[in-house]
Amino acid sequence: MNRHYPNTRLRRTRATTWSRAMVRETVLTPADLIWPLFVTEGEGVEDPVASLPGVSRWSVNGIAKRAKEAVDLGIPCIALFPNTQADKRSDDGAEALNPDNLMCRAIKAVKDACGDDVGVLTDVALDPYTSHGQDGLVDASGYVTNDDTVAVLVDQALNQAEAGADIVAPSDMMDGRVHAIRMALEMGNHPNVQIMAYSAKYASALYGPFRDAVGSGGRLVGDKKTYQMDAANGDEALAEVALDIAEGADSVMVKPGLAYLDIIWRVKQRFDVPVYAYQVSGEYALIEAGAAAGVGDRDALLMEKLVAFKRAGCSGVLTYHAPLAAKLLGG
Ligand code: PBG
C-alpha cells in the first residue's frame, strides 16, 4: 500500500480521546495482572520491605485479606513467596517439604477465604528455604546440582499442590524439572494443577529487592549464573521454552520483563502457549525511585511499561504494582 500525505494524515485518528480509544490496538485490563505477595510469620503483621517502597510482607491472615482485595479489583491470580525464619532454613531446604510450612498455611488461608475466585501461583525453588540462598542443593565444590535438586523440587511442588496451589511455577532453571513435576502431579491426582514455567529466567541484577524480601539476599554466596541464563542469549531462550512445553508446561514466563521484550516477542511468534512476563522487584523499585526523583509521573510510568508487555505478546504480567494498576484501570 502506497500512502501519501495529505490523503493520509496519521494524526487524524490521534486528534481526540474518543478516536484514540477507537483505534487502540492493545488493551490492558485487571485480568492481565498477577500480584506477587510476600508472606511472613506472626499474627496481624505488616512488615514493609525497605527496598520495595509500598510493598510489605504480610502474615497469613493479611495474605488472605490481600487475596480478597485482588478478587475485588478483578485480579485473577496471586503469587506467594515466603520469608522463612532463619531457624527453619537449612543446607537442603527441607522446610520446603513441610506440609505445615508458612507457604502451605498461606495457600490454605487464601483458598479458605476466596475459593476459586482467585488463582494461587506458587514458586518452586529452594532459595527461600536454604541457608545459602541458592535455588537448589549445593555440592562440596559449591555447584548447584541438577538431578538431585529436581527430586526435591518435585516433592516441593507436590507439597504446594496438596495445600491447594492452582499453578506451580518452577523458577529454579534446573534441566528436566517440568517433566518430573508434571509426572508427579499426574500420578499424585492433581491433573488440573497448571505449570507456569519460568522458562527464560535470566541471571539478572534486578532481583536484589526480592532477595531482601524473602530474606535470602544476605545469605547468597556467589551468583546463580550456572543455572539462570546469560543476558546476551536469545536463541537459547527459545530452546528453553520448547523443552518446557514438551515437558508439560501450560504457560511460560520470561523474566525479568522490560529488558527482555524481544524474547517475549520471539516466544509469542514461535509458540502457541500463553506467555507471561515477570516485571521483577528491581523494575518496580526503579519505577518508584524514578518517580521520586522527578523522572515522570509514577502512574504514567508504570502503565506505559505494563502495556508494552501486552503489545509484545504477553497474556499477563506479574507485577508488584498490580493493585495500583488495577485501580488505575478502574477495577
Ligand atoms: C527464586 C525467585 C527469584 C525471583 C522470583 N523467584 C529470585 C532469584 O532467582 O534470585 C525474583 C523476583 C523479583 O525480583 O521480583 N528462585
Side-chain angles (χ1 to χ4, degrees):
M1 184 167 41
N2 238 338
R3 291 178 134 187
H4 292 290
Y5 167 87
N7 299 19
T8 298
R9 286 179 187 268
L10 288 173
R11 290 185 58 191
R12 265 185 216 122
T13 53
R14 275 178 224 149
T16 55
T17 305
W18 63 262
S19 180
R20 289 191 294 274
M22 273 179 85
V23 301
R24 189 158 294 134
E25 297 172 37
T26 306
V27 179
L28 194 67
T29 78
D32 298 318
L33 305 169
I34 299 174
W35 185 7
L37 289 161
F38 299 109
V39 197
T40 193
E41 286 290 354
E43 285 285 325
V45 178
E46 177 184 355
D47 183 15
V49 182
S51 52
L52 288 174
V55 174
S56 295
R57 306 174 191 92
W58 301 88
S59 49
V60 167
N61 50 345
I63 291 290
K65 285 190 192 138
R66 300 288 81 68
K68 283 191 182 154
E69 201 181 324
V71 173
D72 291 342
L73 289 167
I75 297 170
C77 187
I78 60 171
L80 299 178
F81 299 93
N83 180 299
T84 306
Q85 284 175 322
D87 60 355
K88 300 225 165 94
R89 291 174 187 255
S90 56
D91 283 353
D92 63 1
E95 178 65 8
L97 311 184
N98 173 3
D100 198 37
N101 67 19
L102 184 57
M103 189 69 173
C104 292
R105 282 180 275 130
I107 298 166
K108 283 180 191 141
V110 171
K111 288 283 117 180
D112 285 348
C114 302
D116 283 337
D117 291 342
V118 73
V120 174
L121 182 151
T122 56
D123 210 63
V124 181
L126 297 182
D127 53 316
Y129 310 92
T130 53
S131 40
H132 44 69
Q134 294 287 358
D135 291 19
L137 304 176
V138 177
D139 72 12
S141 72
Y143 186 72
V144 175
T145 62
N146 194 87
D147 300 7
D148 291 347
T149 296
V150 169
V152 182
L153 297 175
V154 165
D155 290 341
Q156 179 185 22
L158 276 178
N159 191 35
Q160 294 170 349
E162 295 288 340
D166 299 296
I167 307 178
V168 294
S171 73
D172 53 285
M173 291 299 282
M174 299 301 119
D175 288 322
R177 88 282 205 214
V178 172
H179 171 75
I181 292 169
R182 172 54 71 211
M183 287 301 104
L185 291 172
E186 287 290 325
M187 308 223 295
N189 205 22
H190 297 292
N192 282 339
V193 170
Q194 298 181 34
I195 300 177
M196 181 187 291
Y198 285 72
S199 296
K201 176 169 177 180
Y202 288 86
S204 171
L206 291 160
Y207 303 151
F210 172 96
R211 292 177 188 169
D212 290 346
V214 299
S216 67
R219 300 164 194 280
L220 186 64
V221 184
D223 55 42
K224 301 190 177 184
K225 290 180 180 171
T226 69
Y227 47 106
Q228 297 179 352
M229 283 184 55
D230 185 329
N233 294 354
D235 294 347
E236 188 187 348
L238 300 184
E240 286 281 3
V241 168
L243 277 171
D244 286 351
I245 295 171
E247 291 180 25
D250 302 283
S251 56
V252 298
M253 192 200 295
V254 175
K255 173 186 174 186
L258 202 69
Y260 300 88
L261 283 183
D262 59 321
I263 308 299
I264 293 166
W265 175 259
R266 290 175 71 184
V267 170
K268 185 64 190 173
Q269 297 304 306
R270 171 101 51 114
F271 301 100
D272 56 2
V273 296
V275 184
Y276 294 86
Y278 199 142
Q279 185 188 51
V280 299
S281 57
E283 297 183 77
Y284 173 96
L286 283 172
I287 293 172
E288 291 293 322
V295 170
D297 176 67
R298 191 250 322 249
D299 298 352
L301 284 172
L302 78 96
M303 294 311 273
E304 182 175 335
K305 290 173 193 231
L306 291 179
V307 87
F309 293 119
K310 261 317 259 308
R311 199 185 62 236
C314 280
S315 294
V317 189
L318 289 90
T319 173
Y320 302 94
H321 275 127
L324 174 58
K327 281 174 203 152
L328 295 171
L329 291 166

